[in-house]
């Protein structure tokens, strides 16, 4: 089995929105597009995005921490949006686990967006159909691209490498190792959706130093000074030994 | 959730249409057992069925306004194995066909005897078709309710009470309309239908109150902590990822003030239960059609408010990602 997914490292994300803009840029000209923009230069611009970055402040000053939180479809292993779809437009691919919307079958009833606990599906106001992250399915298999670029646009764009992409069903993949070794977690596990995308928590590298570790307790000469240079008259090593 | 008027009209009109048909068929069954007098098949059964079809048709019509691409609506019959919405879309035309057939049988007078039950009760074609229609009408109540009840993270809806309430509200308004229709058509059945409408309204008062109490005490499973996976009691959202709002901020929030929200709740509590009950009890035995019609119209208005509140009350967990709406 293959389950492609993203792993998002909240420890590294700086909230620059490069993933948002690169996602929009790629997908608005891709198979899922165009992604509508309404009044893009108006007072309240709005439009369709597959990926959004939100910012949260955790704690109270001065003990605060800013968490930038990119949010896109989690490509659940048990996606609640799929069975509720009356037309079968919302489906999960057998071969790689990507959840997609067939834009020719979607009737725009929005029922799938109700069934998704994460709010990662958006009805395109122009096309009047449901749209969502495709994990750049039109890019990751494109053999005309160099192999290093066959990744979702957001992953390529991330300047801090906060987004990892790979097969979470392969225990040795980069994403699986990251989830396993760096405490990757799914969102809202209470709904049993088993999201394929995981998030890596904020983590700090701390070192505990005890006082006795600052003093060398095991100095055999009980001295910290440099040893003096031998006198010029003293025999050298060459003179005292025969090779 | 954002209450869409297309769905509010859809569910209330369908409910009343189903209820009206069930009322008419109940009268026929009673008549078949000799408990009620036989009615004029054309002026009562056929015309009443046409009225039910009009309500169902209007409901179907308003449902199209909920779709982004109504021209593709035919596709929605595809996934009846998994989707309650798909099931509803299959059952609704089937019910309309059954009601139309039932009306046609009564209108044409072609109602052959199928068999005799215990050598006393004659089961005619119209009675059999009506039984199929009854099954379909209840199946449609189940489908409509389950569309909402099956979404487990919408905890306000995810309860059997949702299905029970949809069914009973439909029956209450349908039987009230049947009482008004019976009064208008000059049959003596207004009190019979009205009595059942009163019973349905009283029962649904208790079941809806139970769901209100349940929702008031509901503890939501998702929190901002589980939503972003940070375990801290104090998390404040600083940016929502959009300047002018998004689909997420429009579709999942009712957008009404607290006062309007509370007002609608009291409007529906008054218009659906005490006022129609008062009018209906005045209508019992009075022979005044206007009272039944007023009771139906007032309760229907109340049901519009009830449905608005039903949607507005549902709190979607995705709202956790939009703390400052």
């Amino acid at each position: 089995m293959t389950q492609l997914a993203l792993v998002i490292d909240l420890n590294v994300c700086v909230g620059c929105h490069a993933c948002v803009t690169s996602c929009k840029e790629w997908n608005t000209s891709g198979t899922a597009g165009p992604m509508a923009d309404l009044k893009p230069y108006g007072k309240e611009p709005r439009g369709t995005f597959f990926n959004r970055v939100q910012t949260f402040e955790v704690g109270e000053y001065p003990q605060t921490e800013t968490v930038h939180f990119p949010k896109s479809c989690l490509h659940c292993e048990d996606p609640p949006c799929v069975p509720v779809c009356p037309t079968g437009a919302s489906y999960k691919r057998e071969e790689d686990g990507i959840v997609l919307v067939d834009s020719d079958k979607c009737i725009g009833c929005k029922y799938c967006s109700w069934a998704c606990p994460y709010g990662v599906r958006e009805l395109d106001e122009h096309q009047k159909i449901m749209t969502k992250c495709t994990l750049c399915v039109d890019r990751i298999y494109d053999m005309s691209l160099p192999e290093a670029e066959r990744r979702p646009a957001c992953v390529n764009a991330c300047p801090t490498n906060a987004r990892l992409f790979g097969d979470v069903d392969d225990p040795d993949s980069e994403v699986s190792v990251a989830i396993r070794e760096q405490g990757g977690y799914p969102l809202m596990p209470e709904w049993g959706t088993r999201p394929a995308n995981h998030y890596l928590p904020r983590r700090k590298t701390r070192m505990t130093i005890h006082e006795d570790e600052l003093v060398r307790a095991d100095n055999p000469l009980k001295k910290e000074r440099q040893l003096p240079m031998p006198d010029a008259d003293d025999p050298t090593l060459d003179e005292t030994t025969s090779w | 959730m954002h209450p869409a008027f297309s769905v509010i009209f859809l569910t209330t009109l369908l409910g009343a249409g189903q209820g009206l048909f069930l009322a008419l068929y109940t009268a026929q069954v009673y008549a078949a057992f000799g408990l009620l007098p036989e009615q004029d098949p054309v002026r009562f059964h056929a015309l009443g069925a046409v009225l039910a079809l009009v309500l169902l048709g209007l409901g179907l019509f308003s449902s199209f306004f909920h779709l982004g691409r109504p021209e593709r609506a035919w596709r929605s019959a595809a996934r009846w194995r998994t989707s309650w919405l798909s099931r509803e879309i299959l059952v609704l035309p089937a019910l309309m066909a059954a009601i139309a057939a039932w009306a046609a049988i009564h209108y044409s007078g072609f109602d052959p005897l199928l068999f005799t039950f215990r050598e006393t009760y004659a089961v005619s074609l119209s009675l059999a078709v009506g039984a199929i229609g009854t099954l379909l009408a209840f199946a449609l109540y189940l489908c409509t309710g389950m569309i909402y009840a099956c979404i487990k993270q919408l905890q306000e809806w995810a309860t059997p009470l949702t299905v029970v309430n949809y069914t009973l509200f439909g029956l209450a308004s349908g039987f009230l309309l049947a009482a008004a229709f019976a009064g208008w058509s000059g049959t003596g059945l207004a009190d019979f239908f009205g009595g059942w409408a009163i019973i349905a309204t009283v029962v649904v008062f208790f079941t809806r109150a139970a769901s209100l109490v349940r929702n008031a005490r509901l503890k939501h499973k998702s929190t901002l902590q589980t939503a972003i996976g940070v375990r801290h009691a104090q998390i404040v959202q600083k940016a929502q990822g959009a300047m002018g709002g998004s689909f997420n901020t429009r579709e999942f929030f009712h957008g009404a003030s607290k006062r309007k929200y509370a007002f609608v709740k009291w409007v529906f509590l008054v218009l659906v239960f005490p006022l129609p009950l008062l009018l209906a009890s005045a209508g019992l035995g009075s022979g005044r059609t206007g009272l039944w019609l007023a009771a139906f119209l007032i309760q229907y208005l109340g049901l519009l408010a009830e449905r608005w509140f039903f949607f507005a009350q549902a709190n979607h967990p995705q709202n956790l990602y939009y703390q400052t709406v």
Side-chain angles (χ1 to χ4, degrees):
Chain A
M1 286 293 286
T2 307
Q3 172 65 63
L4 297 180
L6 296 172
V7 168
I8 295 163
D9 193 345
L10 298 182
N11 203 36
V12 192
C13 178
V14 291
C16 71
H17 290 248
C19 52
V20 178
T21 51
S22 63
C23 166
K24 178 100 171 177
E25 186 273 335
W26 174 264
N27 285 299
T28 201
S29 47
T31 53
M35 294 152 74
D37 273 323
L38 271 85
K39 300 178 192 156
Y41 303 106
K43 199 172 164 190
E44 294 205 325
R46 56 198 238 191
T48 311
F49 286 83
F50 297 168
N51 180 31
R52 293 181 188 268
V53 177
Q54 304 184 320
T55 302
F56 296 89
E57 193 173 88
V58 178
E60 195 170 356
Y61 183 83
Q63 297 293 324
T64 48
E65 201 168 330
T66 303
V67 177
H68 299 294
F69 186 81
K71 181 163 85 89
S72 58
C73 173
L74 306 170
H75 299 280
C76 299
E77 299 198 43
D78 200 357
C81 53
V82 169
V84 300
C85 177
T87 69
S90 188
Y91 66 105
K92 185 173 176 68
R93 278 159 59 111
E94 288 283 334
E95 60 267 39
D96 52 16
I98 300 180
V99 177
L100 290 176
V101 176
D102 186 335
S103 52
D104 292 327
K105 283 187 187 167
C106 178
I107 56 171
C109 70
K110 302 185 245 180
Y111 195 32
C112 56
S113 72
W114 294 7
C116 169
Y118 307 102
V120 290
R121 295 175 154 247
E122 298 195 11
L123 189 90
D124 189 277
E125 286 180 85
H126 231 74
Q127 303 182 70
K128 303 282 184 197
I129 55 167
M130 198 52 73
T131 56
K132 65 180 288 301
C133 162
T134 65
L135 219 55
C136 286
V137 70
D138 51 348
R139 183 183 175 106
I140 55 179
Y141 297 115
D142 188 348
M143 291 302 162
S144 67
L145 290 172
E147 199 178 343
E149 285 184 28
R150 283 180 222 150
R151 301 185 301 176
C154 56
V155 177
N156 279 334
C158 182
T160 59
N161 219 6
R163 302 174 78 92
L164 310 174
F165 167 69
D167 176 12
V168 288
D169 275 0
D170 170 8
D172 300 321
S173 67
E174 183 193 19
V175 281
S176 291
V177 171
I179 294 168
R180 206 163 53 234
E181 296 184 353
Q182 300 182 57
Y185 63 88
L187 303 182
M188 292 189 195
E190 57 270 26
W191 301 117
T193 56
R194 296 196 296 138
N197 282 14
H198 282 69
Y199 286 76
L200 302 184
R202 307 272 295 173
R203 43 205 188 279
K204 298 209 168 108
T205 310
R206 286 208 175 84
M207 207 168 130
T208 314
I209 299 173
H210 297 286
E211 205 176 333
D212 59 335
E213 288 173 293
L214 293 168
V215 184
R216 259 180 85 172
D218 54 348
N219 182 358
L221 298 174
K222 305 286 182 218
K223 285 170 185 173
E224 293 296 334
R225 65 177 170 83
Q226 271 192 316
L227 293 175
M229 287 287 284
D231 288 340
D233 302 341
D234 284 358
T236 64
L237 199 61
D238 284 342
E239 288 164 343
T240 53
T241 59
S242 59
W243 294 95
Chain B
M1 301 294 289
H2 174 74
F5 275 100
S6 52
V7 183
I8 292 176
F9 279 112
L10 162 73
T11 53
T12 49
L13 286 168
L14 289 192
Q18 289 156 261
L20 175 60
F21 168 72
L22 289 172
L24 298 174
Y25 183 67
T26 309
Q28 196 196 357
V29 172
Y30 271 61
F33 282 96
L35 299 168
L36 282 176
E38 292 278 350
Q39 299 303 325
D40 182 336
V42 177
R43 232 179 100 76
F44 184 71
H45 289 304
L47 195 61
V50 168
L51 186 58
L53 279 176
V54 168
L55 289 174
L56 294 174
L58 284 174
L60 185 63
F61 177 70
S62 71
S63 76
F64 281 99
F65 290 94
H66 189 65
L67 301 182
R69 293 290 191 106
E71 75 277 11
R72 297 178 182 169
W74 59 273
R75 286 186 178 275
S76 51
R79 289 300 157 110
W80 55 271
R81 280 192 191 85
T82 58
S83 170
W84 283 104
L85 180 53
S86 189
R87 286 169 201 163
E88 183 188 41
I89 284 155
L90 281 174
V91 172
L92 175 56
L95 171 65
M96 291 177 78
I99 296 178
W102 191 72
I105 290 167
H106 281 295
Y107 183 77
S108 66
F110 174 73
D111 196 3
L113 186 71
L114 293 183
F115 58 90
T116 331
F117 179 62
R118 282 189 185 170
E119 291 168 12
T120 324
Y121 306 114
V123 177
S124 63
L125 181 64
S126 65
L127 214 55
V129 170
I132 295 170
T134 302
L135 281 178
L136 288 169
F138 277 106
L140 188 55
Y141 281 132
L142 178 70
C143 291
T144 312
M146 280 308 288
I147 285 176
Y148 305 98
C150 77
I151 305 178
K152 57 184 172 184
Q153 75 267 16
L154 280 164
Q155 288 176 264
E156 285 84 353
W157 295 351
T159 156
L161 283 172
T162 302
V163 179
V164 172
N165 289 337
Y166 265 87
T167 308
L168 289 173
F169 277 134
L171 288 175
S173 60
F175 272 76
L176 272 183
L177 182 58
F181 175 69
W184 172 82
S185 63
T187 55
L189 293 178
D191 289 349
F192 169 71
F193 292 137
W196 280 113
I198 289 172
I199 291 170
T201 306
V202 169
V203 175
V204 75
F205 172 75
F206 287 106
T207 57
R208 188 67 175 103
S211 80
L212 284 178
V213 170
R214 172 189 178 273
N215 290 349
R217 297 164 63 173
L218 204 60
K219 194 173 184 308
H220 287 109
K221 280 187 189 169
S222 287
T223 60
L224 186 52
Q225 283 71 25
T226 68
I228 67 168
V230 176
R231 193 183 174 283
H232 197 293
Q234 194 175 351
I235 303 175
V236 181
Q237 186 159 29
K238 293 292 174 183
Q240 300 191 129
M243 288 168 71
S246 60
F247 175 73
N248 305 70
T249 60
R250 291 188 296 274
E251 179 70 11
F252 299 96
F253 293 89
H254 56 77
S257 64
K258 268 190 177 165
R259 274 183 61 185
K260 184 184 169 188
Y261 179 79
F263 177 71
V264 173
K265 179 178 165 182
W266 284 108
V267 163
F268 101 69
L269 284 175
V270 171
L271 290 190
V272 174
F273 306 109
L275 279 185
L277 281 177
L278 220 67
L279 288 167
S281 41
L284 276 180
S286 72
R288 288 168 65 187
T289 307
L291 281 174
W292 293 113
L293 190 64
F296 166 73
L297 289 176
I298 286 173
Q299 189 176 57
Y300 183 75
L301 272 180
L303 284 178
L304 294 179
E306 189 277 336
R307 227 33 63 85
W308 186 95
F309 187 80
F310 172 79
F311 282 99
Q313 196 184 30
N315 197 2
H316 199 286
Q318 82 96 36
N319 294 4
L320 293 167
Y321 295 107
Y322 298 89
Q323 295 277 317
T324 52
V325 171

